[in-house]
Amino acid sequence: MKHISATREADKLFGFELARQAVESLFDKTWDELDPILAKVWLWSAHVMDWDEASTDVRQAWSTCLDNTARKLESETNAHQP
């Protein structure tokens, strides 16, 4: 049973990294555009969680990363204004 939990945790970490990379490299896409792209990436490797289960966590991580990136850019822009 612990092996399953550890693997599910690894899936969650993989999903977070997938979301982070999507924000960095596919920042101009909406979630509806990203979902099929990320689903294909997810399905190319072995996971305990299927995409339907994982996509909720990945979408939440994507949204959080997107918000954090926007706040950082806004902060940097404000810091450079006279």
Side-chain angles (χ1 to χ4, degrees):
M1 189 62 95
K2 287 187 179 188
H3 176 69
I4 298 289
S5 296
T7 304
R8 291 179 65 78
E9 192 61 32
D11 280 358
K12 288 181 182 240
L13 291 172
F14 181 85
F16 180 82
E17 181 59 21
L18 190 62
R20 189 192 64 75
Q21 289 180 14
V23 167
E24 289 181 2
S25 60
L26 302 168
F27 56 87
D28 59 337
K29 305 279 186 209
T30 66
W31 178 257
D32 289 336
E33 294 169 316
L34 283 174
D35 185 47
I37 296 167
L38 300 180
K40 286 179 185 177
V41 172
W42 188 269
L43 296 173
W44 286 338
S45 54
H47 296 282
V48 169
M49 298 167 65
D50 63 14
W51 178 247
D52 287 339
E53 182 182 6
S55 66
T56 302
D57 289 336
V58 175
R59 184 177 185 169
Q60 170 107 24
W62 170 78
S63 180
T64 300
C65 288
L66 199 60
D67 290 345
N68 290 343
T69 300
R71 277 195 293 276
K72 182 180 176 185
L73 289 173
E74 182 179 353
S75 175
E76 290 172 357
T77 300
N78 290 337
H80 291 107
Q81 292 181 356

